Amino acid sequence: MNKRVGVLGCGWLGFPLAISLVKDGYQVHGTTKSEEKLAQLRKEGISPFKISLGPDKIEGAISDFLRDVAVLIVNVPPKLRGQNKENYVQKMQLLHTEIKKSFVKKVVFVSSTSVYGDVDGDVTEETIPQPTSESGKQLLASENIFRNDKDLDTTIIRFGGLIGPNRHPISMLSGRQNLSNGNAPINLIHLNDCIRIITSVITYSWWNEVMNGVYPVHPSKQDYYSSEAKKRGLQTPDYKVDNSEKGKKVHSKVLINVKKFDFTTTL
């Protein structure tokens, strides 16, 4: 069995994921856009490649990175904020073209629950996506590039808000006033569970699936972020009162009911 995995994007999620895969006995190719990080990848037993995806071209030895890779994990979030906005869909189309030139037949595409848009109520994998943000729209279009290729076994993982080491929304919300959506439920997931879900897809061959990756407990934003602020000794955020708020509560029928996945890290 070919145990070579490619992790395209060794950032906050991709780097510890690649380290975990190495520990599990996989041969891992990993990419970074940073010259300085190449040595870090190599130190962890990851074969490093300096690759930069653009809407018009791919800089770096993408064919070498993809060579002999059995499973490719695409972990490249859209950059659609600020001045340097990009065409994410074109980037993914270019990547797909390169994949077709390689022997890669299995793809894990890391997406987001933002593809569901601003719906209210319970959301599962059966819910029809109706993205409202530009990021959600481009992610959904990019998902379909890979899902519509019948020569690829592609699994889409739509993660909720990512939390973990040095990353938590309360750091930005602390002390803010008159916030909206305080009664809306949270849809978060810890880094450790993200890694376990992706690894399980590969280990148990959960291919040609769409799955939501969200912790199955959904307190309100006001309750949760107030509690997290107190834990950290931070000023609690202030939410305006609006009992008409609902928000979406994202569940995963695929993971919990079908795949029997147990989340291990509480929020």
Side-chain angles (χ1 to χ4, degrees):
M1 174 184 173
N2 183 349
K3 296 198 71 175
R4 184 170 283 113
V5 175
V7 180
L8 186 68
C10 289
W12 184 85
L13 168 59
F15 189 32
L17 168 63
I19 293 172
S20 178
L21 289 168
V22 169
K23 291 179 180 177
D24 287 343
Y26 291 94
Q27 301 171 43
V28 181
H29 289 187
T31 74
T32 177
K33 295 189 291 184
S34 167
E35 188 74 34
E36 294 74 22
K37 199 167 183 179
L38 292 171
Q40 287 181 265
L41 298 181
R42 190 176 292 109
K43 182 180 178 181
E44 297 293 344
I46 303 160
S47 298
F49 295 83
K50 187 180 178 183
I51 304 288
S52 179
L53 298 185
D56 302 313
K57 64 178 180 178
I58 298 176
E59 296 181 357
I62 187 68
S63 59
D64 291 341
F65 165 69
L66 294 173
R67 184 170 293 122
D68 297 327
V69 164
V71 177
L72 176 65
I73 300 165
V74 181
N75 176 47
V76 184
K79 293 181 180 178
L80 298 171
R81 296 178 180 176
Q83 298 295 325
N84 299 318
K85 296 181 180 180
E86 63 181 9
N87 190 316
Y88 183 75
V89 178
Q90 285 186 8
K91 285 174 62 170
M92 291 301 106
Q93 287 172 333
L94 277 181
L95 174 63
H96 178 257
T97 298
E98 292 299 326
I99 290 172
K100 298 297 288 183
K101 300 176 186 176
S102 73
F103 290 102
V104 172
K105 295 299 179 185
K106 300 183 184 301
V107 173
V108 178
F109 186 85
V110 176
S111 187
S112 165
T113 55
S114 65
V115 300
Y116 294 113
D118 297 327
V119 297
D120 288 329
D122 292 328
V123 170
T124 72
E125 292 87 352
E126 297 172 359
T127 301
I128 297 174
Q130 295 179 312
T132 52
S133 68
E134 185 60 27
S135 175
K137 293 174 182 177
Q138 293 207 35
L139 274 170
L140 182 61
S142 298
E143 287 181 8
N144 290 331
I145 292 171
F146 298 95
R147 290 182 68 192
N148 292 338
D149 186 339
K150 302 307 179 185
D151 294 326
L152 292 176
D153 291 320
T154 298
T155 286
I156 308 294
I157 308 177
R158 295 169 177 165
F159 284 129
L162 305 178
I163 64 171
N166 303 313
R167 181 169 180 162
H168 199 287
I170 192 56
S171 62
M172 295 179 291
L173 295 174
S174 174
R176 292 182 60 182
Q177 301 293 309
N178 207 33
L179 294 171
S180 60
N181 301 318
N183 291 328
I186 63 165
N187 295 285
L188 301 176
I189 186 167
H190 194 280
L191 171 66
N192 294 344
D193 284 322
C194 293
I195 292 172
R196 288 188 65 241
I197 291 171
I198 295 172
T199 303
S200 295
V201 169
I202 300 170
T203 302
Y204 301 113
S205 296
W206 295 347
W207 298 113
N208 300 307
E209 301 269 15
V210 175
M211 56 182 67
N212 296 330
V214 177
Y215 192 74
V217 178
H218 305 270
S220 72
K221 291 182 178 181
Q222 181 170 5
D223 289 346
Y224 177 72
Y225 291 126
S226 295
S227 174
E228 289 301 308
K230 290 174 182 176
K231 286 180 186 178
R232 294 165 169 78
L234 300 173
Q235 185 178 354
T236 58
D238 174 72
Y239 287 88
K240 58 187 177 184
V241 178
D242 185 353
N243 294 324
S244 66
E245 298 166 348
K246 291 184 180 180
K248 63 177 177 279
K249 188 181 292 185
V250 182
H251 308 273
S252 179
K253 286 187 176 181
V254 173
L255 280 177
I256 295 178
N257 298 339
V258 180
K259 303 303 181 185
K260 306 298 182 184
F261 183 87
D262 293 322
F263 291 80
T264 60
T265 306
T266 56
L267 300 182

